[in-house]
Amino acid sequence: MISYDPLWTTMERRGVSKYQLIYHWGISSNTLRRMSHGNPISSNTLNELCLILNCNVEDILRFEATKEELDTINQRREEINHFRRKRTKK
């Protein structure tokens, strides 16, 4: 899961408010709402935020795998390995 927690810290350090992002820089309020709920944003928006805040991507987001995500990906890996073993036995 993508977490945008670093964004809020970066904004505070840079002295940039949500209001400024919306009204001075043209970042959509819906985009900020999506980010506050952990929903995805476009890479274009990510690029804009990096430029506006003069920061790197890791200053805006971080990846944190949830237990459910890890379980799902591990199950998928097992299915792929099972399929590969099955094909090599033929």
Side-chain angles (χ1 to χ4, degrees), residues 2-86:
I2 299 295
S3 168
Y4 298 102
D5 289 343
L7 170 66
W8 317 122
T9 303
T10 300
M11 286 173 57
E12 187 175 321
R13 277 196 328 261
R14 300 282 196 267
V16 176
S17 67
K18 289 181 182 181
Y19 177 90
Q20 289 171 319
L21 288 178
I22 295 166
Y23 293 103
H24 296 211
W25 295 100
I27 300 295
S28 156
S29 60
N30 187 48
T31 296
L32 294 176
R33 182 200 57 78
R34 292 175 57 75
M35 293 174 79
S36 69
H37 289 92
N39 298 127
I41 60 170
S42 73
S43 56
N44 288 337
T45 300
L46 187 56
N47 186 70
E48 279 185 69
L49 289 168
C50 286
L51 289 169
I52 293 165
L53 297 169
N54 189 30
C55 67
N56 296 314
V57 172
E58 57 271 15
D59 297 318
I60 294 176
L61 60 83
R62 79 172 157 262
F63 174 73
E64 301 169 339
T66 64
K67 183 182 178 333
E68 293 80 18
E69 289 170 327
L70 291 172
D71 290 346
T72 299
I73 200 72
N74 287 332
Q75 180 181 0
R76 182 65 182 138
R77 284 182 180 133
E78 288 176 21
E79 291 168 358
I80 291 167
N81 287 334
H82 176 74
F83 176 75
R84 285 180 180 160
R85 285 191 300 272
K86 196 173 175 181

